[in-house]
Amino acid sequence: MATVIVIGAGLGGMSAAYELKAELGKQHEVILINDKPDFEFTPSNPWIAVQWRERKETSIPIEPHVKKKGIRFIHAALTELQPAAQQLTLSDGQTLRYDFLAICTGPALAFDEVTGAGPESGGTTSVCTLSHAEECRHSVSALVDEPGPVIVGAMPGASCFGPAYEYAFILDRHLRDKKVRKNVPMTFVTSEPYIGHLGLNGVGDSKGMLESELRMRDVQWICNARTVAAQDGQMTVEELDDEGNIKRTHTLPYKHAMMLPAFVGIAPLRGIEGLVNPRGFVIVDEHQRNPAFPQIYAAGVCIAIAPSHKTPVPTGVPKTGYMIEAMVRTLSHNIKAELSGQPPVTKAVWNAICLADMGGHRCRLRRHAADPAAQRRLVQERKVGPSGQDRLREVLPAQDAGGGYRAHLRKTDAQIPRHRQDRMTPQTRPSPGLLLAALRGKTGLSIMFQDVAAGGAGFTLPAASAIIRASYQ
């Protein structure tokens, strides 16, 4: 019996544990390690900050769900990894050996690279973690009570720009609902060379669309922004030209600031030669395997992906839920192959598909990794109908959900009987990309599973926080 360890239980780690157990069965042991006892659905954090969701709606305890599938869970943090010896040490003192290791830790947050930034220093707020979003909520409440200037954006080296735009639009909507938006000047400050760059050199007409959305909400912006400091209610920002020279320096006052930081690899991995790059991200090949230590695979935000081009202020490449699912499936198939004595042959295609809540409507961004120039897609869906409800109809193409099913995300108002919810199985659960789409839908969304072999017959599940509970039971 081989031991396969998964470190990290976010979207990538949870999916990896389930995929690996489904692939390997009872013949091999799968261990899931996480520094928190709960799975937290990070994409919902902007909603937490404005009280549109509560912790219990976006997180679930890990152990009771994975235990049902025969996955051993350890609540502890990684403190040391010895890849040559194929062993690791945890914060509870345990030392474990592994035959294969899947690193899905996510990143560490590099707030320290900007003076005063981050919740701990107090200069800016964050929605990078559930706890950060709950702290951010206090700052938002204070803003409503005493309106003042707001800054939202991303700092040098950031790679996850989508949540910054989302937060700006969501906060704008929240302040309008509270009847104080007219007293809150907003500025979007980003390291991107232009609005809508997103770390991908744009997706379709993301530049024009996002600029238009910001203008409609009376949000000013500064691009090529090198944030230097955020202290005592003032942010110092150096705006660079296309050659990387300082064009002007801004001193911006703020009552509330939410700035996404750059990411780095987690501390126990940094400096391990051959495993990680200088920023601490895990180096992987086309099979999601580390070239220096072939027993180690990795997926998610923790892996190294080089930017496609240089920007005046450093920007990283985002790793979306849809992309992470592709990585996870690749590593699970390849680990199974290796345990069967076969070489790894499965390769991940890193397509980027993102859904964004824009405070009053939604958009979908799609970029195909195989042909980015020819296959970029952008779809925008605005509020429709007298009720003001958002409609979201098949925002993703039909997806292979396993077990002979295809999955579609649809708008529906129907209540789904509990016995049909119980038909959810690991083989028919939606991918994290679809879960992301479902969980972020505010009203009346569902996932429909279509049985291809039965000529289209299928069943439907409500797309609410219950969907992720069902899928991980």
Side-chain angles (χ1 to χ4, degrees):
M1 174 182 284
T3 298
V4 181
I5 295 179
V6 180
I7 306 178
L11 276 177
M14 285 289 277
S15 299
Y18 277 94
E19 293 280 355
L20 284 163
K21 195 60 182 178
E23 292 281 353
L24 304 180
K26 296 181 180 180
Q27 293 88 349
H28 304 290
E29 182 181 29
V30 176
I31 301 174
L32 177 63
I33 298 170
N34 196 49
D35 60 354
K36 299 175 184 176
D38 296 337
F39 167 83
E40 299 176 357
F41 191 70
T42 302
S44 290
N45 287 348
W47 288 355
I48 295 286
V50 296
Q51 302 183 56
W52 291 1
R53 290 290 188 278
E54 298 295 335
R55 174 180 283 266
K56 64 182 180 180
E57 297 176 285
T58 66
S59 65
I60 58 172
I62 296 170
E63 184 166 27
H65 296 283
V66 301
K67 186 177 180 180
K68 294 177 183 178
K69 299 301 177 184
I71 300 168
R72 178 184 169 195
F73 175 65
I74 300 175
H75 173 208
L78 176 69
T79 57
E80 183 182 9
L81 175 63
Q82 297 176 289
Q86 292 182 223
Q87 70 178 29
L88 52 83
T89 303
L90 304 178
S91 58
D92 61 4
Q94 292 189 72
T95 297
L96 303 176
R97 290 187 56 81
Y98 59 84
D99 294 285
F100 286 96
L101 176 67
I103 300 177
C104 305
T105 59
L109 308 175
F111 288 113
D112 60 318
E113 295 181 350
V114 174
T115 302
E120 292 186 5
S121 298
T124 61
T125 60
S126 162
V127 292
C128 292
T129 70
L130 181 49
S131 296
H132 284 176
E134 289 175 327
E135 291 181 41
C136 183
R137 176 182 290 187
H138 299 304
S139 179
V140 171
S141 296
L143 175 68
V144 171
D145 293 338
E146 296 182 18
V150 163
I151 301 173
V152 177
M155 294 186 277
S159 57
C160 195
F161 296 98
Y165 286 100
E166 279 192 298
Y167 185 79
F169 297 136
I170 289 169
L171 182 61
D172 170 85
R173 174 68 174 270
H174 180 66
L175 295 175
R176 291 180 191 277
D177 290 345
K178 297 296 183 181
K179 312 299 184 186
V180 298
R181 177 64 177 88
K182 63 181 179 181
N183 299 318
V184 180
M186 291 182 66
T187 305
F188 192 82
V189 175
T190 178
S191 53
E192 301 163 275
Y194 57 83
I195 292 296
H197 179 276
L198 301 171
L200 296 167
N201 198 21
V203 182
D205 188 28
S206 56
K207 180 178 187 293
M209 186 271 284
L210 289 172
E211 283 185 353
S212 175
E213 294 294 331
L214 292 173
R215 287 193 188 97
M216 285 193 298
R217 292 166 175 79
D218 194 25
V219 178
Q220 308 299 311
W221 64 78
I222 302 172
C223 297
N224 276 337
R226 183 166 63 195
T227 305
V228 176
Q231 293 176 304
D232 303 322
Q234 287 195 331
M235 186 175 295
T236 303
V237 177
E238 295 175 343
E239 182 181 357
L240 306 188
D241 60 22
D242 292 341
E243 303 302 320
N245 303 310
I246 298 175
K247 185 163 63 174
R248 64 175 60 90
T249 299
H250 304 264
T251 301
L252 307 174
Y254 63 89
K255 174 75 175 180
H256 170 77
M258 198 295 293
M259 296 288 289
L260 298 180
F263 294 158
V264 293
I266 65 170
L269 303 182
R270 290 178 222 156
I272 300 179
E273 187 175 353
L275 178 66
V276 298
N277 70 6
R279 295 283 290 179
F281 292 110
V282 181
I283 301 166
V284 296
D285 60 17
E286 58 190 356
H287 306 295
Q288 300 298 139
R289 184 173 66 167
N290 179 257
F293 303 100
Q295 298 81 16
I296 296 179
Y297 286 77
V301 183
C302 68
I303 75 164
I305 300 180
S308 60
H309 64 288
K310 186 177 180 181
T311 53
V313 181
T315 58
V317 178
K319 294 102 172 180
T320 69
Y322 190 88
M323 186 188 299
I324 291 170
E325 169 67 1
M327 298 179 190
V328 164
R329 292 191 177 214
T330 297
L331 72 81
S332 63
H333 291 168
N334 286 331
I335 288 175
K336 179 182 180 181
E338 292 209 66
L339 287 172
S340 301
Q342 304 296 319
V345 295
T346 305
K347 301 177 182 179
V349 178
W350 294 344
N351 293 337
I353 296 181
C354 310
L355 298 180
D357 183 338
M358 303 182 74
H361 53 279
R362 296 178 178 84
C363 77
R364 169 168 63 95
L365 303 174
R366 178 179 181 181
R367 179 164 179 171
H368 197 291
D371 190 358
Q375 302 193 52
R376 295 175 186 172
R377 299 289 185 270
L378 181 147
V379 175
Q380 186 176 2
E381 303 201 12
R382 298 179 179 276
K383 288 196 305 184
V384 295
S387 67
Q389 296 293 336
D390 296 335
R391 290 185 182 177
L392 196 56
R393 297 185 181 275
E394 287 197 27
V395 297
L396 292 178
Q399 300 294 318
D400 180 3
Y405 283 94
R406 302 278 286 174
H408 305 258
L409 186 65
R410 294 182 182 274
K411 171 94 166 56
T412 179
D413 297 318
Q415 295 296 316
I416 309 303
R418 176 65 190 172
H419 74 275
R420 302 187 85 179
Q421 295 184 34
D422 290 341
R423 293 178 62 182
M424 196 74 163
T425 70
Q427 285 71 41
T428 59
R429 71 179 184 276
S431 70
L434 287 171
L435 287 176
L436 183 152
L439 286 170
R440 299 184 80 165
K442 294 172 64 175
T443 58
L445 295 180
S446 70
I447 290 182
M448 182 187 76
F449 288 88
Q450 187 178 52
D451 190 336
V452 179
F459 60 95
T460 306
L461 294 169
S465 58
I467 192 79
I468 201 164
R469 296 174 190 271
S471 69
Y472 286 134
Q473 285 175 355

